[in-house]
Amino acid sequence: MGVVDVCVIGLGYIGLPTACLIAKAGHRVWGADKNAGVIEGLKAGRLHIVNEKGLAELVGEAVVSGRLRFSTSPAGADVFVIAAPTPLVRLERPSEETGLAGLGDFSYVAAAAESIIPFLAAGNLVVLESTVGPGCTQELLKPLLERSGLRCGVDFHLAHAPERVLPGNILHELVHNDRIVGGVDRQSAEMARDFYASFVEGAIVVTDARTAETVKLMENTFRDVNIALANEFALICEKLGVDVWEAISIANRHPRVRILNPGPGVGGHCLAIDPYFLAEKAPSLSPLIRQARKVNEGMPVHTADLFFGLTRGRDVRKVAVLGASYKADVGDERESPALQVAELLGKGGAPVVVHDPFVEDYAGPLDDVLRDADCIVLLTDHTVYRELVPDDVARLVRAKLILDTRDVFGGEWEKAGFVVARLGGPQRG
Ligand code: SAJ
């Protein structure tokens, strides 16, 4: 494919890095986001996405090259890439009909599609990257775009190319992961394949849009269900007085066993949401998927219960909560179990002080949070916490008591006099 004009709609975690890589490949990119603050920031060289390796440099290079420009509205292009969010709308109580706790929200994708209608022209390719339920591209997006008066498959082409990259490693994975492109028809799929081949080094796997939508959801559901299994093992091990972390590491020596890690819950905008998109389409056929969600969604409450069990009868005047983001070394708080736990502790009367080096509201000095703490609750395994030295922390805290939900504090902490209770381990008080 030669150089083309590309309009990327939605400059979030996926849209911004994707726009940069497309520009790096030589295409001319118009990056649109309706959030004026985001656009002003980008124009002034300020990124709204932090801690994504290499992103700031790449944005800088793309802008300097003149191939990446930003605006609050779309512009005409050969290829439109929609990377709008598809969050979950949580229901007040699980639906009686389906048993589901939430439903996928397509409205941001719909708004993005409507915003390009005035610019859509014959020969264009539209690619949806946002994660959506099976059938959305064909049944919702296609008719929306056809309101332009142009016919899909005749005048313009449409494909779904779900993003599958890991936050924290997005730029590497965008280039090197295999990419699925699912067309609503053969020509759409082939056009999308040629477009992605111009900036992706992984294999481009061509299929239809519905399969592409389903594959993406299956991947994240697979991970969510497997984490639920690890969490269930943790609960069982607590009852048995066995350390689940040790048990998992031994079990994983089996050549065909790969158990994931338990923890205080599953967060982020993907695993905590995508299984619902799949289950929504076939509620009566997805008891395992829904049960896994229930197990994972129960972990913050379980973690809070562990805390209150551990501190019962103690004089607790300060609790140092380490971690607010949903996983290690990222600043994303969406669906974060750490924040849910912190809130539950606060509601239960615990005097909580939260620290997180990646989240602006909690990024004050770590020593200040640890000083005079009566209990440390580790919720997110950021590298800075793994690097803490027991004797240094011992000098700061008032009581040497830890609740570790991520297997961060090993034997050297006990040697330094700490009582370390672990999620998934024998409980101490
Ligand atoms: N977690 C555990 N135990 C584990 C692994 C993860 O409790 O063993 C928790 C994390 O702490 C976090 C949550 O699960 O709260 C999700 O973290 P993650 O690293 O598993 O995944 P995400 O949400 O950052 O990214 C996932 C990835 N999907 C898969 O690995 C199948 C990524 O490739 C997708 O592109 C991304 O979802 C997405 O955007 O859909």
Side-chain angles (χ1 to χ4, degrees):
M1 169 177 274
V3 170
V4 291
D5 288 304
V6 182
C7 178
V8 177
I9 304 104
L11 297 176
Y13 283 85
I14 300 302
L16 182 61
T18 303
C20 292
L21 288 171
I22 298 171
K24 193 177 174 192
H27 303 299
R28 294 174 293 262
V29 184
W30 185 266
D33 196 299
K34 62 181 183 186
N35 183 329
V38 163
I39 296 300
E40 270 165 38
L42 287 169
K43 283 185 173 167
R46 275 191 324 272
L47 256 61
H48 53 296
I49 295 165
V50 288
N51 307 116
E52 200 52 66
K53 284 187 283 289
L55 183 59
E57 295 77 5
L58 198 66
V59 173
E61 283 164 26
V63 169
V64 168
S65 75
R67 291 196 297 271
L68 176 59
R69 284 175 295 161
F70 301 115
S71 170
T72 49
S73 52
D78 302 299
V79 180
F80 292 91
V81 176
I82 299 178
T86 44
L88 188 79
V89 184
R90 294 218 175 255
L91 304 173
E92 259 175 38
R93 68 177 75 88
S95 143
E96 277 174 23
E97 193 192 331
T98 64
L100 291 174
L103 290 172
D105 178 359
F106 188 72
S107 64
Y108 295 91
V109 171
E114 274 162 24
S115 75
I116 63 174
I117 286 176
F119 304 98
L120 205 59
N124 282 171
L125 169 68
V126 180
V127 187
L128 176 65
E129 291 210 356
S130 318
T131 305
V132 292
C136 271
T137 308
Q138 178 85 31
E139 290 151 25
L140 295 174
L141 188 54
K142 180 178 155 194
L144 256 174
L145 292 169
E146 284 185 329
R147 286 194 204 157
S148 61
L150 299 169
R151 288 157 304 164
C152 183
V154 180
D155 303 314
F156 73 94
H157 301 278
L158 177 61
H160 178 52
E163 64 79 13
R164 297 146 78 223
V165 292
L166 194 71
N169 198 26
I170 288 180
L171 286 175
H172 177 84
E173 293 206 355
L174 270 178
V175 174
H176 294 97
N177 287 2
D178 290 352
R179 187 89 203 200
I180 317 165
V181 296
V184 298
D185 53 52
R186 189 79 214 162
Q187 200 185 345
S188 296
E190 284 169 5
M191 284 174 80
R193 178 198 59 203
D194 293 349
F195 172 60
Y196 279 93
S198 69
F199 66 97
V200 169
E201 287 177 26
I204 313 284
V205 184
V206 176
T207 183
D208 59 85
R210 201 179 184 84
T211 304
E213 289 161 341
T214 307
V215 167
K216 161 73 198 226
L217 297 176
M218 281 166 59
E219 291 167 353
N220 280 352
T221 302
F222 167 86
R223 196 158 166 83
D224 192 51
V225 170
N226 278 284
I227 297 170
L229 181 64
N231 282 331
E232 197 160 287
F233 285 155
L235 304 184
I236 294 170
C237 283
E238 281 171 15
K239 188 170 167 64
L240 299 178
V242 168
D243 185 310
V244 76
W245 304 93
E246 185 189 357
I248 289 175
S249 74
I250 298 172
N252 282 348
R253 289 169 169 264
H254 186 287
R256 284 175 296 285
V257 173
R258 178 68 193 96
I259 303 169
L260 293 177
N261 293 322
V266 170
H269 53 119
C270 308
L271 267 57
I273 289 177
D274 295 356
Y276 285 113
F277 291 7
L278 202 55
E280 195 179 314
K281 293 287 171 185
S284 66
L285 300 176
S286 44
L288 179 63
I289 297 172
R290 290 189 286 137
Q291 186 57 27
R293 276 282 77 232
K294 240 184 232 166
V295 169
N296 290 338
E297 285 172 359
M299 292 311 289
V301 171
H302 177 70
T303 305
D305 289 347
L306 289 180
F307 169 83
F308 287 114
L310 179 68
T311 55
R312 188 170 301 128
R314 289 177 185 260
D315 175 22
V316 177
R317 295 182 221 160
K318 181 177 180 186
V319 179
V321 166
L322 303 190
S325 69
Y326 83 100
K327 70 170 188 177
D329 299 331
V330 301
D332 191 341
E333 299 159 85
R334 286 176 292 176
E335 306 281 329
S336 172
L339 286 179
Q340 291 173 40
V341 174
E343 199 184 320
L344 287 166
L345 299 193
K347 276 190 185 150
V352 165
V353 184
V354 180
H355 179 267
D356 194 306
F358 300 105
V359 180
E360 212 181 337
D361 288 353
Y362 308 113
L366 177 54
D367 282 8
D368 290 356
V369 174
L370 292 173
R371 189 168 296 111
D372 297 328
D374 298 296
C375 183
I376 296 171
V377 180
L378 184 290
L379 297 174
T380 314
D381 47 342
H382 294 314
T383 306
V384 284
Y385 303 146
R386 288 195 179 276
E387 288 170 349
L388 283 170
V389 176
D391 288 336
D392 296 348
V393 177
R395 277 191 285 276
L396 286 169
V397 296
R398 203 166 75 98
K400 295 191 209 172
L401 183 63
I402 296 178
L403 174 59
D404 180 2
T405 67
R406 301 270 193 183
D407 192 27
V408 164
F409 299 110
E412 71 279 15
W413 289 81
E414 282 173 347
K415 276 198 208 115
F418 282 86
V419 171
V420 182
R422 282 137 71 87
L423 179 141
Q427 292 312 296
R428 325 272 298 260

